[in-house]
Amino acid sequence: MAWAYVWAVAVWALIPISKRGGKLFVPAILMLGVLPDIDLFFGNLGVVHHSFTHSIFFWLVIFAPVFAVYGLKSVPYLAAVVQHFAFGDLLVDKVMILWPFSSSYFGLNFGMPSILDVALETAGLLLAAGIIVFNGDLRRLLSVNKRNILMLLPFLALIASMLWFAVDWSLIPLIAYVWTRKSLTALVFDHLILAAFLAISGIQGLRALGRKHALTSKTP
Ligand SMILES: [Zn+2]
């Protein structure tokens, strides 16, 4: 999610100002950043993790109509989803990136967790944090605005991915396991920081709803 934001902002900055169409919609960027891993939930339907949802061509086809309607504005959103497997997964694992033209898995396979993985995830989080402060997104995402309710979607996706491993583990041994390896502890720490930020942003969105309700109930 952090890298999706970094890549999307970088691509957005390359688009001519007249074609950018305003600020990026951050909840969508964050969700797109993890969307390829939706294949995890379809394992019992025979969908193999890191297969077609991790293919560049699959997403090019999905985005073709979006591009036809929204033009260059849509490219940062495509970048958010493509970086998931063409950057992140390609470095730490192997993915079927050229499907349907090749069913081979490509990747540097550094491992997860590994030093490179922890370094990448932490660097992504720090970069995203730096950008979000300077481009004004932090102020918008922490303001009492009902748009921020949608930040609860990436929050839920993040929690779901963190608890994914709890399907085979009960929670207490899972939490204990996190402390057995420094790399895992660091990764969980990164995830908790991001989760806290998403939760606060979402709660600010809910507060906007509450305020609106309080205002309307006061009017006679
Ligand atoms: Zn993935």
Side-chain angles (χ1 to χ4, degrees), residues 36-37 49-50 54 84-85 89 95:
D37 280 349
H49 184 41
H50 283 176
H54 289 66
H84 172 109
F85 51 83
D89 282 346
V95 285

Side-chain angles (χ1 to χ4, degrees), residues 55-168:
S55 150
I56 285 184
F57 300 106
F58 174 78
W59 289 103
L60 283 180
V61 170
I62 300 252
F63 262 82
V66 183
F67 185 78
V69 175
Y70 295 102
L72 283 178
K73 265 185 265 183
S74 64
V75 179
Y77 298 88
L78 177 64
V81 77
V82 167
Q83 66 79 34
H84 172 109
F85 51 83
F87 171 66
D89 282 346
L90 201 70
L91 286 171
V92 299
D93 214 308
K94 286 182 167 189
V95 285
M96 214 188 258
I97 196 164
L98 298 179
W99 182 90
F101 302 104
S102 166
S103 294
S104 304
Y105 285 79
F106 297 95
L108 297 178
N109 209 8
F110 276 103
M112 207 171 131
S114 61
I115 295 296
L116 182 103
D117 177 36
V118 175
L120 263 180
E121 296 210 31
T122 307
L125 194 63
L126 290 173
L127 262 174
I131 295 169
I132 214 171
V133 169
F134 285 105
N135 71 359
D137 275 346
L138 183 68
R139 200 162 17 88
R140 291 192 302 128
L141 292 169
L142 292 182
S143 68
V144 181
N145 185 320
K146 64 179 191 307
R147 273 169 69 105
N148 290 335
I149 294 172
L150 287 172
M151 290 292 270
L152 292 175
L153 287 176
F155 171 75
L156 291 175
L158 184 66
I159 298 298
S161 78
M162 286 171 77
L163 293 180
W164 175 254
F165 300 97
V167 173
D168 303 317

